[in-house]
Amino acid sequence: MAVMTSSARPLLNRRLAEFGTTIFAEMSALAQRTGSINLGQGFPDTDGPEAVREAAVRALRDGRGNQYPPGPGVPELRTAIAEHQQRFYGLAFDPDTEVLVTAGATEAIAASLLALLEPGDEVIALEPYYDSYAACIAMAGATRVPVTLRPSEGPRGGFVLDLDELRAAVTPRTRLILLNTPHNPTGTVLTRAELAAVAELACERDLLVITDEVYEHLVFDGAEHIPLASCPGMRERTVTIGSAGKTFSFTGWKVGWVTAAPELVAAVRSAKQFLTYVASGPFQYAVAEALRLPDSHFDGFRAEHQAKRDLLSAGLAAAGFEVFRPAGTYFVTTDIRPLGESDGFAFCRALPERAGVVAIPNAVFYDHREEGAPFVRFAFCKQTAVLEEAVTRLKALAG
């Protein structure tokens, strides 16, 4: 039956019309239909630490969080988040005024952008970018201005930020920079010198910065994650976003957070209260315990994923891809041109039939689709046996 409306205007808000169904839904459905190994969507296929899971069960049984938790988050978690920032980065935050718990990092991003932007503002985002960035900027009525990370020919390798291009992108309408490090999907980890340059630019042009740091504990080969808020002049103008899902492998719990100066947290909280209001009550208590796990957990988590990165990267190289070895996250970006391909969309849609593996075309993360056309992303946050089977299947591409 046709939907009747009072006018011919489309039902979907025009700000969201360009987005449609995400590529993740399409490729996950393709994986299920073909029985392929899904290395597309970035979620682990095993749960996190048993002690953390049991902490959630205990909270449920003890009646903690079964009703609405406090709007800013339960005090135990806010305190644990503040302790985490001090423990790992030497950053001091007041858990009562400078920490906000959110329904995952995605809500933290949405609430931050909705709170801090006005229609007509410009937002600089590093391209390729996590797909929710574009949608949230659009919902705020602002304009996204991409600055493209490009493959480097130098000794550092991987994808790098052109600081001159970043500076040139700033206009009188620029309100904020949306930064992601460690960076999804490229695996780039911005260096101290790069972050210092971003900080200098933000201070010079009086810009706010939102930093998505959900992969903070997944950095490899001696790379160092440095929060932008630790740079001179940035403590009062940076909204830092973290997530339990990526660090503890409980992505379904949807527990994220914001740390920032009181004025910024108050602004973000004003938007957040009209999104979910609150969420994840019992899980907040469990995450509070998780954040206090010993260093051995974080070291072991990092080492485990570095080994998985190496396994998948070697298999992809043997299959004929050019592999950009990630310094962080749990994704590997590849170039399909050595395989005689140039269209990532077509390649990924055909890959399940050719090799029984699903990946994601990086072009979906670009405004400049041609920049990302030959790049394809694989996730390695899977069991080792699953990755080994995927590597075996991908050998079919080598002929």
Side-chain angles (χ1 to χ4, degrees):
M1 181 177 178
V3 176
M4 301 300 294
T5 65
S6 59
S7 73
R9 197 179 87 182
L11 294 174
L12 181 63
N13 185 311
R14 66 181 180 275
R15 292 176 180 172
L16 295 175
E18 69 174 282
F19 300 107
T21 302
T22 71
I23 191 68
F24 301 106
E26 176 187 346
M27 301 311 295
S28 292
L30 185 57
Q32 187 173 22
R33 188 167 66 250
T34 60
S36 296
I37 295 174
N38 189 353
L39 302 186
Q41 195 165 4
F43 61 87
D45 58 357
T46 55
D47 289 339
E50 180 67 18
V52 178
R53 185 166 57 179
E54 286 304 308
V57 172
R58 189 168 65 250
L60 281 164
R61 288 176 174 160
D62 293 347
R64 293 185 299 159
N66 292 335
Q67 309 305 326
Y68 294 134
V74 301
E76 292 85 346
L77 178 54
R78 285 185 278 117
T79 298
I81 292 166
E83 291 173 354
H84 170 274
Q85 297 301 86
Q86 180 70 57
R87 170 186 172 186
F88 287 99
Y89 310 119
L91 289 168
F93 288 97
D94 183 336
D96 292 326
T97 62
E98 297 185 312
V99 179
L100 175 66
V101 178
T102 60
T106 300
E107 188 195 37
I109 293 162
S112 298
L113 291 169
L114 290 170
L116 300 175
L117 294 174
E118 297 278 359
D121 287 341
E122 292 180 349
V123 179
I124 295 173
L126 304 187
E127 179 185 62
Y129 45 70
Y130 178 51
D131 60 351
S132 83
Y133 294 175
C136 292
I137 292 167
M139 285 190 285
T143 300
R144 64 183 182 272
V145 178
V147 170
T148 308
L149 301 179
R150 295 186 175 88
S152 169
E153 301 296 333
R156 179 179 168 189
F159 287 70
V160 297
L161 171 62
D162 185 326
L163 292 169
D164 290 333
E165 186 176 343
L166 177 67
R167 177 172 288 274
V170 178
T171 76
R173 296 175 65 181
T174 305
R175 169 68 165 169
L176 62 83
I177 299 172
L178 178 50
L179 209 63
N180 176 209
T181 181
H183 183 263
N184 172 19
T186 67
T188 293
V189 176
L190 295 182
T191 65
R192 186 177 296 277
E194 288 169 330
L195 291 167
V198 172
E200 181 182 359
L201 177 61
C203 293
E204 175 189 322
R205 301 300 295 269
D206 192 24
L207 304 176
L208 299 172
V209 183
I210 298 173
T211 60
D212 176 353
E213 302 180 12
V214 299
Y215 294 101
E216 61 188 311
H217 290 292
L218 282 174
V219 290
F220 312 125
D221 302 325
E224 180 185 12
H225 171 65
I226 303 165
L228 184 69
S230 67
C231 294
M234 295 309 296
R235 175 66 170 73
E236 301 305 312
R237 64 177 66 244
T238 302
V239 175
T240 303
I241 293 171
S243 168
K246 305 305 182 186
T247 299
F248 303 110
S249 300
F250 290 111
T251 58
W253 290 8
K254 297 301 290 180
V255 179
W257 53 82
V258 163
T259 53
E263 298 80 6
L264 287 169
V265 166
V268 176
R269 186 171 63 243
S270 294
K272 183 261 190 298
Q273 67 185 338
F274 297 114
L275 295 173
T276 61
Y277 177 53
V278 293
S280 313
F283 300 129
Q284 292 191 34
Y285 293 97
V287 172
E289 295 191 27
L291 287 168
R292 296 188 174 105
L293 287 171
D295 288 353
S296 58
H297 163 76
F298 298 94
D299 294 341
F301 180 70
R302 184 182 307 111
E304 175 190 352
H305 282 78
Q306 181 167 319
K308 291 179 177 181
R309 176 206 63 175
D310 293 344
L311 168 62
L312 182 58
S313 295
L316 289 165
F321 295 87
E322 179 182 357
V323 177
F324 299 98
R325 191 180 181 88
T329 77
Y330 42 52
F331 302 108
V332 176
T333 288
T334 62
D335 191 329
I336 59 175
R337 285 174 290 192
L339 293 167
E341 306 276 356
S342 60
D343 182 341
F345 281 99
F347 179 83
C348 287
R349 287 175 174 135
L351 187 60
E353 295 293 344
R354 294 177 63 187
V357 175
V358 161
I360 295 293
N362 279 26
V364 299
F365 306 125
Y366 286 78
D367 278 1
H368 303 107
R369 290 293 177 97
E370 70 283 356
E371 292 274 2
F375 303 129
V376 168
R377 189 193 81 174
F378 294 83
F380 55 84
C381 51
K382 310 296 179 181
Q383 297 176 62
T384 298
V386 172
L387 296 175
E388 289 172 341
E389 175 60 23
V391 165
T392 298
R393 295 185 183 190
L394 288 165
K395 290 178 180 177
L397 299 177

